[in-house]
Structures are given as structure tokens and as C-alpha cells.
Amino acid sequence: GAGVSQSPSNKVTEKGKDVELRCDPISGHTALYWYRQSLGQGLEFLIYFQGNSAPDKSGLPSDRFSAERTGGSVSTLTIQRTQQEDSAVYLCASSRVTGAGANVLTFGAGSRLTVL
Amino acid sequence: AQSVTQPDIHITVSEGASLELRCNYSYGATPYLFWYVQSPGQGLQLLLKYFSGDTLVQGIKGFEAEFKRSQSSFNLRKPSVHWSDAAEYFCAGHQTGANNLFFGTGTRLTVIP
């Protein structure tokens, strides 16, 4: 697609429920990132996918968080047994590494998660 | 540890005044550096990037940034601010071969008439 698409744009859930957030990256972008932005905070790296390589999961805050990327394209971030501290905007980005070796990320509009 | 730091949480400037947003980096080697802008309810938009070469880089919307190795800084500037520039600005960076783009905590810009 023309941009990075995320859904849902807003999700309200009850504590203890599972949620799935979806990201559809730009066609041809091999790298995909998930970040979390809490109120008044910067962006917290969660997970990174690059091609067929094993994902970098070093930023996932707990084992309740997981992500997968199917067919090297669409990604789903799953949060199990949600807690109130999981409330945040979850941002997805994709990139095509440039010839200079830099990752120029294009971000989606985000999925705002509210856990009651 | 690799990081970028934005020392100013909130800056207020008058419309038409000049602007400088500070960013300091902490990397062993010259990193790739970026500035992103996030308008209310919007995703992050890339303003400009520095890879190598000219230390003064031009971006969109009239913004520029200067890489200063001696000061470990990559400050964002604009000579004349417009009301539409009110937004959150994020500095980010990563090293060659690194997966993770580290973001600063952001600087919120308020523009007053």
C-alpha cells in the first residue's frame, strides 16, 4: 500500500482480555518495527522483524506480549491478559534499508489501546 | 549505552521567531540521526536525516539540522516558526548494522500568536 496501515485505530478492552493489533507495512519494505508510546513518554522499542531472520524481541516488556509476521508482510502484535499499564499507543513502522545502511522508518498512525 | 537525549520537554515560541530544538547522542561511532514530527492525532513524519557527509542537512517544511561531532549534538532549527509547526518533535538514531532506532523522549513545541 501507499503507507503503513494499522488497525484498529482505537481499542478499548477490559483488564485480563487479550488484544490483537494489526500492521500492514509498505509493500516491498523488508523491515517492520513495533513501538509503544505511553502518555507523555517517548517511543519504546518492542520488536523488530527483518526478512526471514529471527525477530529481535529484546524490547518486549513481558511474556504477555508477542508478535508475528506472516509471509514477510502483515504483522500482528498480541497482548495477553491485558493490564492497565498496557494502555498506550502502539506504533508500527516499516523500512527499506537504504544503500547507506540506514533504516528510514515510515510510521503508521498507531493503535490506541485503553485497558479499563 | 546508545541513546539520544532531548533535554527540553516543552518549548514555547512566538510565531515568526526562530526555533532550535536540542538533541544529544551517545554512540561509540557516528550514528545515523533523524528528526521526526508528530502532530496531534497523527503518525510520525520524517523531517530529515543525517547519514554522513555535509553536517548541515535540509529537511521538509523549512527545517534543518546540524550534526556537531564535538558536541555530540544534532539540533533542529527553523528560522521562522509557523503556527502549524506546533507538534511533538522526536530525535532518533541508530548505529550501522543496528536494528533498533532509539528515540528521545520528545520536545513539545507550542507556538503562540
Side-chain angles (χ1 to χ4, degrees):
Chain A
V4 177
S5 178
Q6 292 188 247
S7 61
S9 55
N10 276 287
K11 176 72 175 179
V12 179
T13 190
E14 294 179 348
K15 178 182 173 180
K17 301 283 189 181
D18 297 351
V19 296
E20 286 189 350
L21 307 177
R22 175 189 167 104
C23 174
D24 199 344
I26 292 174
S27 178
H29 280 192
T30 57
L32 187 146
Y33 303 74
W34 283 99
Y35 285 84
R36 178 169 69 175
Q37 185 176 25
S38 302
L39 187 63
Q41 302 294 312
L43 276 73
E44 176 188 6
F45 167 76
L46 296 178
I47 189 169
Y48 163 82
F49 296 89
Q50 171 62 51
N52 295 321
S53 302
D56 177 354
K57 304 180 182 180
S58 60
L60 294 178
S62 77
D63 58 8
R64 296 187 295 105
F65 288 73
S66 63
E68 63 176 20
R69 188 178 186 191
T70 56
S73 181
V74 172
S75 176
T76 302
L77 176 69
T78 301
I79 308 173
Q80 296 179 310
R81 305 181 302 282
T82 52
Q83 304 295 314
Q84 289 183 329
E85 61 263 28
D86 299 334
S87 297
V89 176
Y90 290 82
L91 294 167
C92 177
S94 68
S95 77
R96 174 180 56 81
V97 178
T98 71
N103 291 335
V104 181
L105 275 62
T106 301
F107 282 84
S111 292
R112 181 178 298 277
L113 174 65
T114 302
V115 182
L116 301 177
Chain B
Q2 302 172 4
S3 71
V4 292
T5 305
Q6 293 179 251
D8 303 307
I9 297 173
H10 184 205
I11 283 183
T12 299
V13 298
S14 299
E15 190 168 16
S18 63
L19 170 70
E20 183 168 25
L21 302 182
R22 297 185 291 166
C23 173
N24 295 102
Y25 67 89
S26 170
Y27 290 93
T30 300
Y32 299 112
L33 295 165
F34 308 80
W35 275 98
Y36 283 84
V37 61
Q38 186 178 36
S39 299
Q42 304 292 314
L44 279 85
Q45 181 181 22
L46 179 67
L47 284 176
L48 48 78
K49 57 188 181 290
Y50 172 75
F51 294 167
S52 64
D54 281 344
T55 56
L56 184 64
V57 293
Q58 303 295 321
I60 62 172
K61 303 184 180 185
F63 286 92
E64 66 179 26
E66 185 170 12
F67 173 73
K68 291 186 177 180
R69 184 189 305 276
S70 61
Q71 299 177 17
S72 297
S73 68
F74 187 59
N75 295 349
L76 182 72
R77 301 195 296 246
K78 186 168 184 178
S80 178
V81 169
H82 188 262
W83 64 267
S84 61
D85 293 324
E88 187 94 19
Y89 291 80
F90 292 93
C91 182
H94 75 87
Q95 283 198 283
T96 306
N99 302 333
N100 184 6
L101 187 63
F102 286 92
F103 281 82
T105 51
T107 299
R108 183 161 62 92
L109 175 66
T110 297
V111 180
I112 56 177

